[in-house]
Amino acid sequence: MHTDLVAALDIGGTKIAGGLVDGRGRILARAQRPTPARENGDTVMGAVEAVLGELTASPLWARVGALGIGSAGPVDASAGTVSPVNVPGWRDYPLVRRVREATGGLPVELIGDGVAITAAEHWQGAARGHDNALCMVVSTGVGGGLVLNGRLHPGPTGNAGHIGHISVDLDGDPCPCGARGCVERIASGPNIARRALDNGWLPGPDGDTSAAAVAAAARAGDKVAVASFERAAQALAAGIAATATLVEIDIAVIGGGVGKAGEVLLAPLRRALGDYATLSFVQRLTVTPAQMGTDAGLVGAAAAALTRRADAATV
Amino acid sequence: MHTDLVAALDIGGTKIAGGLVDGRGRILARAQRPTPARENGDTVMGAVEAVLGELTASPLWARVGALGIGSAGPVDASAGTVSPVNVPGWRDYPLVRRVREATGGLPVELIGDGVAITAAEHWQGAARGHDNALCMVVSTGVGGGLVLNGRLHPGPTGNAGHIGHISVDLDGDPCPCGARGCVERIASGPNIARRALDNGWLPGPDGDTSAAAVAAAARAGDKVAVASFERAAQALAAGIAATATLVEIDIAVIGGGVGKAGEVLLAPLRRALGDYATLSFVQRLTVTPAQMGTDAGLVGAAAAALTRRADAATV
């Protein structure tokens, strides 16, 4: 039987999505369940098994040769376990073994969700054709992943590219991760909103205090709102420049809810990048919005499974 | 003829060293000239050619199959050019072409000096057996290089691992590179000494105001001297933690003159690493002194040439 498809799982704190994906990244079958994030580990696994049950029932299942998982982190790809911050019932949870058991022994590839998004943008989106790229999600948190030398760089545990938790302000505000002045502590959506409120920004009559509302105010010229996005842009620029200086990337792709703020974020980000990306070999670095939509996690997990299969075939 | 040796050049602002190196990293022949760093480009190249002339005159030369260059940066491996900060006569200087011409068309591999040191530590020194490592030189400047997935990661232009110029203090003091709060701006030898003097440290009767003198004072319990090393250690820790969080390394190797300060630097560095390397997948990161001596640059340039030959043979 020719196995030309892969299965993919995208596991987040809100939903568990599954799909059967072909070699061109098209999703030919789908299944989805809400994540019972506050329940015990077996209940969460039950939701994953329900998604897998729908997929294995598909007449296309016989064509599936491998399965990729992109999961909220931290993950440990070397151990096959996950410990998603927002799913307390899973700590060092043996997800790879459980998924393999539920699928009759299929080869399983596990990566973090930031790495999965990156695989998708590199395969089908804004980083296509770039051999060295950083892809980021700027949202409730700040995540990311790396492409180096034309290949995904998940790192030994599948967590590489965690740009949200590098410190760009070593004496700065404490971050929930335990460090200080992390990119996420300055540039995530909730921190953009908090900083605007702290500095006197007042929400509109609808009471919306989200980063999207701050972005709307910034677009309308509110100086405090503009300044909060400029500070986020400065932290993102320092983090992106650090990444480029360390590993030589030529493009940074920005996605996620805050990324959708558009030029309110991207214009000061490009300016600030000029301040921090100063060495000759990082000056050509460009910043561009993400192109993949809500399927990025699924498509990226599929890409990781396909790459693993291709590598195995050439060994 | 069996070509089991490689030639190596280590080009710095003070000296140009050359050697013939075997597959086990032993230097079988040597040549050296002072770098005429203030002269024009052709004069500097004349010194390189004098070194190469000695090497090509060796009876071992017939066994040389490739040549590696580790050069003060920035370099551009993709263009084959170098622009060392301390050698103003060389700007986008076509070093690879000139060396190839001087050696009868030998294949030439160019990398930055931080990358060369890293290749040496990975091959023969403190990073041996580690598939993911950061090697640093903390001295007049702060340089470095990366090993990822068991292989040197020079990046497309040969400059990757430039940890000295990532910002860990985005509002900090201006750095000569144009950015602010770079690791080098806080942790280099001259900055350790400057900060101690600014905060009231007084040198001994010999008037020595070097970082080595500050280290001696710190060992004797001088609080200002201790604090200056602690601040350097904090910046190094933030930079090392950022690197581990981005690419997943499990060891950081510290060499260079300031690295030789020993526990005055390493003890606070290990403590500070606990403050910044917080995510589960970076907590096992260790810091260790470099093992390679003054031949590290030569041995590393040889390693790069040997790796390139091995890659070419498997294509």
Side-chain angles (χ1 to χ4, degrees), chain A residues 118 127 130-136 145-151 153 161 163 236-254 273 277 279-287, chain B residues 146 148 153-157 159-161 246-247:
Chain A
T118 302
H130 289 269
D131 282 348
N132 296 280
L134 165 68
C135 299
M136 303 175 64
L146 291 166
V147 171
L148 301 178
N149 300 323
R151 299 173 61 92
H153 180 76
I163 189 170
L236 291 169
I240 293 167
T243 306
T245 303
L246 282 169
V247 294
E248 295 201 19
I249 54 166
D250 55 39
I251 188 169
V253 175
I254 316 269
L273 208 51
L279 301 186
S280 56
F281 66 96
V282 297
Q283 286 174 4
R284 278 163 297 185
L285 179 60
T286 56
V287 173
Chain B
L146 290 167
L148 301 178
H153 180 77
T157 72
N159 290 292
L246 281 169
V247 295

Side-chain angles (χ1 to χ4, degrees), chain A residues 68-96:
Chain A
I69 307 173
S71 174
V75 304
D76 186 342
S78 62
T81 59
V82 301
S83 311
V85 174
N86 296 325
V87 185
W90 277 2
R91 285 297 171 268
D92 296 323
Y93 189 82
L95 181 63
V96 167

Side-chain angles (χ1 to χ4, degrees), chain A residues 132-254:
Chain A
N132 296 280
L134 165 68
C135 299
M136 303 175 64
V137 177
V138 185
S139 177
T140 310
V142 175
L146 291 166
V147 171
L148 301 178
N149 300 323
R151 299 173 61 92
L152 197 63
H153 180 76
T157 73
N159 290 293
H162 248 84
I163 189 170
H165 292 286
I166 71 171
S167 176
V168 290
D169 185 9
L170 79 176
D171 303 314
D173 292 329
C175 179
C177 78
R180 288 182 174 274
C182 292
V183 170
E184 179 173 302
R185 182 65 181 79
I186 304 172
S188 73
N191 281 300
I192 290 171
R194 176 194 49 72
R195 186 169 45 242
L197 287 165
D198 286 352
N199 290 323
W201 172 69
L202 296 171
D206 61 0
D208 183 355
T209 57
S210 68
V214 181
R219 258 178 239 112
D222 183 288
K223 282 185 183 152
V224 173
V226 166
S228 189
F229 269 91
E230 283 175 345
R231 183 66 173 169
Q234 187 189 2
L236 291 169
I240 293 167
T243 306
T245 303
L246 282 169
V247 294
E248 295 201 19
I249 54 166
D250 55 39
I251 188 169
V253 175
I254 316 269

Side-chain angles (χ1 to χ4, degrees), chain B residues 21-41:
Chain B
V21 184
D22 74 7
R24 295 169 61 186
R26 291 176 301 197
I27 301 174
L28 306 180
R30 291 174 182 273
Q32 188 168 315
R33 290 288 185 286
T35 306
R38 299 289 130 195
E39 307 294 326
N40 64 46

Side-chain angles (χ1 to χ4, degrees), chain A residues 11-23:
Chain A
I11 298 180
T14 307
K15 68 177 169 61
I16 295 163
L20 303 183
V21 184
D22 73 8

